[in-house]
Amino acid sequence: MPCQSSKNLRLISTFFKITHFRVEKLASFVHCYGTMESGNLLILQSGISNVTSNAVLYGMLAEALNFEIIEEIYGAYNGFEGLAAGQLMDLAALSQKKAQLLLSSAGNALHSESGAFKATPHAFEQMVRVLSQKGIRYVGVICDQETLAYVQNLIEAARQADYELNVIAIPLSNYNELPMTDHSLGYG
């Protein structure tokens, strides 16, 4: 169910400011469960990398620093697989110089899942446990169309655990095949 709160849309539209997306086009990609209360943010990259993956990571990191409700900012090393294993790093500790390098580097700085990752219900339950332990209430997922389903699995696991979680998926594509977008980030 898409978020209806104007506060939620403000946070979401700010995250997307750097990407020049129109928020109304993204309604189907934005899912929230819970409220906009103080908590920690996790950013992860999933799927095939493209030329805009790190720029979007930078945009999310830079904008999240402006919100009082965001207390700590983590990155999941190795995408959903890393989240399940608790492989988190403090992104707010990055120096400005290192963070700026994200704007001019292609690929996934946080890395993505390995080919051996099994997207099982148990894996997503473990992810919710890690999120809960770290007080993470907000998750930003920079993903491709193939791993967009993982976002839904994470939302479902949070619902089943009755864990309040706000999730935003930022779909990227090298092939411009994402539905409901005029032009996919990473294409062209």
Side-chain angles (χ1 to χ4, degrees):
M1 162 180 268
C3 301
Q4 299 301 319
S5 163
S6 61
K7 238 185 197 179
N8 290 0
L9 289 177
R10 179 173 168 251
L11 177 64
I12 291 162
S13 66
T14 302
F15 279 154
F16 280 93
K17 184 168 58 176
I18 196 163
T19 66
H20 306 290
F21 253 145
R22 290 187 294 254
V23 172
E24 61 272 10
K25 290 263 185 187
L26 296 168
S28 70
F29 295 119
V30 178
H31 297 275
C32 295
Y33 179 65
T35 58
M36 298 298 283
E37 296 178 8
S38 292
N40 298 330
L41 168 69
L42 173 74
I43 304 172
L44 64 88
Q45 295 172 310
S46 178
I48 298 172
S49 65
N50 77 35
V51 297
T52 60
S53 299
N54 289 331
V56 173
L57 172 61
Y58 174 83
M60 290 187 73
L61 175 60
E63 289 299 322
L65 291 170
N66 296 320
F67 286 89
E68 290 179 19
I69 61 169
I70 305 294
E71 296 169 354
E72 302 289 332
I73 304 170
Y74 295 101
Y77 189 76
N78 292 328
F80 286 100
E81 181 177 22
L83 173 56
Q87 297 174 329
L88 307 182
M89 61 185 72
D90 182 2
L91 289 181
L94 277 179
S95 70
Q96 279 285 18
K97 189 174 185 176
K98 285 185 180 178
Q100 291 274 328
L101 289 174
L102 291 169
L103 290 171
S104 58
S105 58
N108 283 341
L110 295 174
H111 299 264
S112 189
E113 303 80 20
S114 70
F117 175 64
K118 302 288 187 232
T120 64
H122 175 72
F124 289 97
E125 291 165 8
Q126 176 60 26
M127 290 176 210
V128 173
R129 280 192 287 278
V130 171
L131 295 171
S132 176
Q133 290 167 356
K134 291 289 189 177
I136 296 169
R137 296 285 179 192
Y138 303 95
V139 178
V141 183
I142 304 164
C143 59
D144 62 12
Q145 187 172 3
E146 297 296 315
T147 58
L148 204 50
Y150 293 172
V151 175
Q152 187 60 42
N153 293 343
L154 180 61
I155 291 166
E156 269 311 305
R159 278 192 185 127
Q160 289 177 1
D162 199 30
Y163 185 71
E164 288 189 28
L165 187 64
N166 298 278
V167 178
I168 182 170
I170 303 166
L172 308 178
S173 171
N174 292 325
Y175 308 107
N176 204 35
E177 84 279 27
L178 296 171
M180 298 172 47
T181 60
D182 295 329
H183 189 83
S184 299
L185 292 174
Y187 176 73

